[in-house]
Amino acid sequence: TGHRPNKLGCYSSQVFNRLVDLCISELQTINPQSVISGFALGFDMALAQAAINLKIPLLAYVPFEGQEKMWPKQSQLYYKELLSKAEKVRVCCNGGYSTDSMQRRNICMVDDANFLLALFDSTPGGTANCIMYAESEIHGGRMDLVIKNVWNRWEKMEQS
């Protein structure tokens, strides 16, 4: 889980490429059997691209059909390209956009994961909601879930 482009500097390809590099580095360290991505703009799509680059099976957890319809055309095309490369696509809710559908997607991702890679700056929003749910699972006795936030590493990359 991670932030959208507005919290990461912008929508530029340079920022996106740095996100992909960060995700590749982290995935090489974690060495997962598969990667779950929420397929939102920003960190989620960079993580999906990193999984594809590393040939790690990609699982797309989308909140609802058509989540991309309000995005810029280029982002919509890229979304469809990445989605076509996913080993599995799970649509988490029926209907359209709502904060509930976004959180339901977060819950599905966390429930099916044992490691949560996060790019989280501690501000309120969807990423915060996902992290809070994951932490509640850990405090509720789910000891197989690990959360790693790479925000500090991202800030250092942005400064260099």
Side-chain angles (χ1 to χ4, degrees):
T1 188
H3 291 304
R4 307 299 184 273
N6 63 319
K7 289 190 178 180
L8 300 174
C10 68
Y11 283 81
S12 78
S13 59
Q14 185 179 25
V15 169
F16 185 78
N17 289 337
R18 278 199 302 268
L19 278 173
V20 172
D21 289 345
L22 173 66
C23 291
I24 286 173
S25 174
E26 290 298 327
L27 289 175
Q28 287 173 325
T29 300
I30 299 163
N31 194 26
Q33 292 179 335
S34 61
V35 169
I36 297 172
S37 170
F39 266 68
L41 290 172
F43 183 75
D44 290 12
M45 289 180 72
L47 181 65
Q49 184 63 62
I52 290 165
N53 290 1
L54 294 171
K55 299 181 180 8
I56 300 169
L58 175 62
L59 311 176
Y61 281 42
V62 298
F64 57 90
E65 291 281 349
Q67 108 166 307
E68 79 286 0
K69 287 185 179 173
M70 300 302 287
W71 298 355
K73 188 68 173 172
Q74 184 177 358
S75 297
Q76 290 180 39
L77 294 172
Y78 184 57
Y79 172 87
K80 289 176 184 174
E81 177 188 335
L82 286 179
L83 206 58
S84 74
K85 295 177 182 178
E87 186 171 289
K88 174 185 169 185
V89 177
R90 179 176 178 184
V91 179
C92 299
C93 293
N94 294 325
Y97 173 81
S98 71
T99 53
D100 185 58
S101 63
M102 304 304 272
Q103 183 60 10
R104 183 78 206 126
R105 184 262 323 267
N106 291 341
I107 290 168
C108 290
M109 290 191 310
V110 170
D111 287 353
D112 290 351
N114 57 21
F115 194 102
L116 179 65
L117 182 62
L119 185 61
F120 176 50
D121 69 356
S122 301
T123 59
T127 301
N129 293 341
C130 187
I131 297 284
M132 283 189 292
Y133 176 74
E135 289 173 341
S136 76
E137 286 294 290
I138 292 169
H139 296 305
R142 186 164 166 218
M143 301 314 253
D144 68 329
L145 182 60
V146 174
I147 301 171
K148 181 178 182 183
N149 185 3
V150 294
W151 184 258
N152 289 338
R153 186 165 177 217
W154 170 250
E155 285 188 315
K156 288 177 187 168
M157 287 178 75
E158 281 293 284
Q159 293 169 359
S160 58

